[in-house]
Amino acid sequence: MRAGYFLIVLALLVFSACDGGDGSADAGTDGDSDTDGDSDTDSDSDSDSDSDTDSDSDSDSDGDPGCPPLDPPTGNIIDVTPSQVGDLQGIVAGASTGDTILLADGTYDLNGAYLWFDTPGVTLRSQSQNPDAVIIDGNYSTTEIVTVAASDVTIAEVTLQRAFTHPIHVTSSDLGDTANTLIYRINIIDPREQAIKINPHSTTAGFFAEDGEIACSSIILTDTGRPNVNTSASDGCYTGGVDAHQARGWLIRDNHIEGFWCPTGTAEHAVHMWRGCRDTIVERNVLINNTRGVGFGLSNSGTARLYSDDPCPEAGGAYIGHYDGVVRNNVIFADRTELFDSAAGFDCGVCLWSACGARAVHNTVASTGANFSSMEWRFAGSTSVEITNNIATHDLQERDGASATQTGNLEDALLTLFEDIGNWDLHLQSSATDAIDMGVAVEDGLCDYDMDGDPRDDQPDVGADEFTGS
Ligand SMILES: [Ca+2]
Ligand SMILES: [Ca+2]
C-alpha cells in the first residue's frame, strides 16, 4: 500500500465517521459553537500521516513525496506552552530569521491576538508533531490568526480554528515578494471566511506571494461552523478553502478540503486561483462536498496580474484569470443531500473560467446528486484548455464559446465503477472496464503517477486511480 493510498483511505474513514452524510445539516444552528472550543475538532485525519514516506522517491514532477512529519527543527528553538499564550503574539513578532517557535501540546486561546510573521525564515510548529494536539483557537474574535508577510515562513503541524476572517493570510509586503511559504500538515477548522487567503498587499507595488506550498493538510467547514460564516459579503457565503489572487508557482497537494457550502449563497471553491495566477499545480487533493472544487479564474473582466512575457498571446490581450497550470489526480466528490439542496448546489468540480493553457488530467469527479457540471471551461478567447483522461459522473461542459481539447475522458460514468463511495473510496473496482486502460498516453512528466503514487502504465486508466488490483 502506497503512502497516498493509505492517507486517503484513512482520511476517508475518519471523515466519514464524523460527517458521512448523516443528514444533520442543522446540527450547528444554535450558534453557540464558539463557547466551548472543541466540539468540532474531529477532523485531522491526515494528521496521522504515518510517516510511511516511502514515496517512491522519484524525482518526477508529479511523484508523490507523501506526508511524513516535518524534519526536526534546526537553529534557534523557542519553546512555548499554552500558559504563555498571552506572550505568543510578541514572541512571533520578535522572532529572528532561523528561529523555530515550538508549541507544546494544548489549546492556545488567542482571544483577539494574532500572529504576524514579517521576518523571513521563521517557523511555527508543534513540538509533538501532532496537529490535533496543538489547537490555536481564534474564538471568532481573532481576525487573521496567522499573517505571513515575509519569505521562507513555515506553518506546520498545528490546528487553527475559528478565525473571524482568515486562519492564514499570505501576502506580499511593501518590501518585496513573499516567497516559499510552506503550510504543511495542519488542520484548519471552521474559518468564518476563506481558510487560506493569498494576495498582494498593494495593488501598485508590484510584489506578490510566490512559490508557496500547501500540503498534507485538512481544511474543513463543519456543520457547527457553517452558521458562523460571513454571509454579508459577496454571494452571501464568503468562505472557501484556498483563495489566491495574482500568485504564481504554488503547489497545492495531498490536502483534504471539505464542507465549503452554505444553505444560501455561493461558497468559493475548495481551491481557487484567480486574478492572474500562474503555473499552479493542484494534485492528489480530496475535495468532498464543496459547492465548487478546483477553480482556475472566475470572471472575464476586472483586476488581474499581467506578465511581461505574455504567456497567453493567443488571447490577444483579453482578461486572463489563470495562466497554464495543471490539475491532476484529484478526487472531487459530493454526496450530501444538504449540499445538493442548497441554493448553489454542487456547482462544478473543476471550473476553468478565463483559464489560458490549463490542463486537467486524470481527475475523478463524482457525485451522487446532480451538479451543473463535473468540469467546465468558460469564456471565448481567454479560455483554452486541455481536458484529458478524467472520469466524471456528470457533464463536461463548454460555456460561452470557450475552447478545449478533450481526449480520453469518460463522461456520465456510473458510480458503480468505484470501490466504495459510501466511504468516499473512489478507487476503481476491478469490474470498471469502462475506465481501466481506457485513457490515452500523455507526455512524460505530465502525470506519471496516480493518486496513490502508483505509476501509470502504458494504457492509463481514466480518473485519479490507476487500478493495480489491490
Ligand atoms: Ca492501465
Ligand atoms: Ca492506484
Side-chain angles (χ1 to χ4, degrees):
M1 185 181 291
R2 308 301 287 265
Y5 178 83
F6 181 72
L7 189 67
I8 288 169
V9 168
L10 191 61
L12 298 181
L13 291 174
V14 173
F15 281 104
S16 63
C18 62
D19 192 27
D22 57 2
S24 58
D26 53 347
T29 51
D30 53 2
D32 59 353
S33 54
D34 47 345
T35 54
D36 54 31
D38 34 21
S39 49
D40 28 23
T41 54
D42 63 36
S43 63
D44 29 47
S45 54
D46 31 357
S47 46
D48 58 46
S49 74
D50 39 25
S51 45
D52 37 41
T53 56
D54 73 11
S55 60
D56 33 63
S57 60
D58 48 71
S59 55
D60 287 75
S61 59
D62 70 323
D64 180 1
C67 294
L70 206 60
D71 289 341
T74 57
N76 184 45
I77 293 173
I78 303 169
D79 286 301
V80 178
T81 66
S83 65
Q84 296 172 271
V85 64
D87 299 327
L88 187 55
Q89 179 172 335
I91 289 169
V92 169
S96 302
T97 297
D99 286 356
T100 293
I101 299 164
L102 206 55
L103 301 180
D105 287 357
T107 298
Y108 296 74
D109 286 311
L110 291 180
N111 287 315
Y114 53 87
L115 310 180
W116 185 284
F117 293 79
D118 60 1
T119 298
V122 174
T123 294
L124 178 76
R125 56 188 289 182
S126 59
Q127 183 176 31
S128 64
Q129 304 204 292
N130 178 1
D132 306 338
V134 173
I135 297 169
I136 303 174
D137 195 342
N139 317 93
Y140 295 123
S141 59
T142 293
T143 52
E144 295 175 3
I145 295 177
V146 167
T147 303
V148 177
S151 293
D152 303 307
V153 168
T154 294
I155 308 295
E157 300 175 335
V158 298
T159 293
L160 307 177
Q161 69 182 23
R162 301 189 303 175
F164 188 76
T165 58
H166 311 296
I168 298 182
H169 181 194
V170 182
T171 186
S172 55
S173 73
D174 290 336
L175 302 175
D177 293 340
T178 291
N180 307 319
T181 304
L182 176 60
I183 297 168
Y184 188 68
R185 291 186 72 222
I186 70 166
N187 302 317
I188 294 179
I189 301 170
D190 290 341
R192 186 168 169 273
E193 298 185 351
Q194 295 87 354
I196 300 177
K197 181 92 173 186
I198 302 162
N199 66 5
H201 168 63
S202 157
T203 56
T204 58
F207 297 127
F208 302 96
E210 304 286 76
D211 300 317
E213 179 174 350
I214 301 168
C216 304
S217 293
S218 163
I219 303 175
I220 299 193
L221 180 63
T222 70
D223 290 348
T224 303
R226 191 167 297 106
N228 297 305
V229 163
N230 180 1
T231 56
S232 62
S234 69
D235 285 329
C237 181
Y238 191 64
T239 191
V242 178
D243 169 26
H245 301 195
Q246 307 186 34
R248 183 174 181 179
W250 281 71
L251 171 61
I252 299 170
R253 67 168 180 94
D254 297 301
N255 302 290
H256 179 110
I257 305 179
E258 180 188 342
F260 288 91
W261 59 275
C262 290
T264 58
T266 305
E268 204 161 341
H269 314 58
V271 178
H272 190 202
M273 314 295 292
W274 59 307
R275 295 191 187 279
C277 286
R278 181 172 176 179
D279 298 336
T280 315
I281 294 176
V282 181
E283 62 182 351
R284 293 185 308 272
N285 300 282
V286 176
L287 311 178
I288 302 288
N289 287 324
N290 303 289
T291 294
R292 291 170 170 166
V294 179
F296 279 5
L298 184 69
S299 59
N300 64 346
S301 65
T303 301
R305 180 175 175 183
L306 301 174
Y307 296 85
S308 58
D309 61 343
D310 191 15
C312 185
E314 61 269 37
Y319 176 94
I320 301 296
H322 193 285
Y323 297 89
D324 299 323
V326 179
V327 180
R328 64 186 169 205
N329 289 330
N330 299 284
V331 171
I332 302 170
F333 184 60
D335 69 353
R336 271 196 81 164
T337 302
E338 296 88 344
L339 168 63
F340 300 128
D341 290 346
S342 68
F346 174 27
D347 186 49
C348 52
V350 177
C351 332
L352 306 171
W353 296 16
S354 299
C356 180
R359 295 193 281 187
V361 188
H362 280 294
N363 299 283
T364 294
V365 184
S367 172
T368 61
N371 61 21
F372 185 83
S373 70
S374 290
M375 277 191 192
E376 62 184 59
W377 47 99
R378 185 174 190 191
F379 299 127
S382 59
T383 298
S384 54
V385 299
E386 292 177 18
I387 309 288
T388 308
N389 291 349
N390 300 284
I391 187 168
T393 57
H394 294 73
D395 292 344
L396 308 179
Q397 188 162 306
E398 173 262 311
R399 300 178 67 186
D400 300 320
S403 168
T405 301
Q406 302 177 66
T407 316
N409 302 293
L410 177 60
E411 204 171 352
D412 301 320
L414 298 176
L415 288 166
T416 52
L417 298 182
F418 303 113
E419 188 66 37
D420 184 3
I421 60 167
N423 287 305
W424 300 345
D425 182 350
L426 279 287
H427 285 88
L428 295 172
Q429 299 213 43
S430 58
S431 58
T433 52
D434 288 350
I436 294 171
D437 294 343
M438 298 303 284
V440 298
V442 300
E443 67 190 71
D444 288 348
L446 178 58
C447 199
D448 297 341
Y449 300 87
D450 79 346
M451 65 180 186
D452 307 310
D454 299 327
R456 297 276 175 194
D457 62 28
D458 292 338
Q459 294 180 288
D461 307 352
V462 295
D465 178 32
E466 187 75 22
F467 178 72
T468 53
S470 58

